[in-house]
Amino acid sequence: MQNRKKLTIAAVVVVVIALCAALYGYYVIQQKKKAFSEASELFKSNDYAGAAEAYEPIGSFQKADDMTVLSRVYNELTAGNYEEAASISKDLTEFTVDDEDLQNDINTKKADYYTTAGSFVEAGDFKNASYIYKCLGGYEDSSSAAVYYEGRQKIEDNDLEAAITLFEQIEDYRDASTWKADCSSYLEAAGLQDQGDDDSLEKAADIFADLGDFKDSEARSLACKSVKMFREAKELADNKDYKGAYKILNQYPSNPYEGWTDLLTKCDNHIKYKEAKKDYDSENYYKAYKIFNTLGDFKDSKKKAKNCVRDYPSKNILYQNSDFSSSSVSFTIDNTGFMNTYIKLYSSSDTLVAKIFIREGKSATIHLTSGTYH
């Protein structure tokens, strides 16, 4: 009888304890639900620091641990600390919550930040765009976009090998495969350029030219061409073929390649000097003077220019073609009222007949065969 009584008491105690445990468990769950709800209100009102602090003690209940991390991510995003936000988001896995209102708010915020990331892309700020996309997890194409724009930033940072590695992860995304190919081609061409021999430079120039406006490809293509062209031009100039050298160099007259402008100027001076010397020797002093006067200290250009300045001729008829000389016609030109005058007289067939100089207020007479002159 006593044993049965003891068993009854024990059973009652067990039931009471179980009931208390159940009640306590229910109480704890209710408290966590309340705490989760309060934390969620803070999150929805954009108090992310407060939300993170409120979610954390709840643990894994209803994804509160994920919401803690997400709140910290959004707290940094709101402050503009995009890199820190991306760093925190590494601990975040893709998740959904049972609270429909909260999930809708999360989706709305992701959409807003997705738009913000797009704005950074349009502004050319690929780094911060990538950070924001990383924080958005699997929203739309954010996961791929994060890698894509990180790769684009690596290109801006001249870390093309890192860019290639990133684009390889998402080759089917947008034009990632094209960016990867361009990076690879650029590195290949740069390697050829460093080799420096004519064949390598020619190949590098072609590859850079095909890359168009990718980084400094256009400038590099010209640089590769310039080395080879400069070598050819210098060899011609050293052999006094200044016209041949000038023709090569003048294809890119503003080329920044070292020594290019100096050699182009040197060749140009030699060509002009030769032309002026020809005029000088032919007594075309005015034409010679105009050229010599532009050559400055080149050779004896200053002296030659000075020598081109001549006294007025002492006679009127400086030159007369003997085929048109005759006493049958006397032709007088009166220069009264005019300054010193120099005249070239031509036949109807445009043959030079005479060169005549007439001083101010004077006249000149020339004897010619009959005919028409101009």
Side-chain angles (χ1 to χ4, degrees), residues 57 158 176 285 299 370:
N158 295 317
Y285 297 117
K299 288 190 172 184
S370 60

Side-chain angles (χ1 to χ4, degrees), residues 273-309:
Y273 183 89
K274 185 176 181 180
E275 180 185 350
K277 182 72 165 50
K278 182 179 179 181
D279 287 328
Y280 183 87
D281 293 341
S282 300
E283 298 184 359
N284 294 322
Y285 297 117
Y286 182 62
K287 285 180 66 178
Y289 173 81
K290 287 196 296 183
I291 299 174
F292 281 131
N293 200 43
T294 65
L295 295 176
D297 294 325
F298 184 75
K299 288 190 172 184
D300 60 347
S301 295
K302 283 188 175 181
K303 181 180 178 181
K304 283 284 196 299
K306 187 176 181 181
N307 290 341
C308 287
V309 180

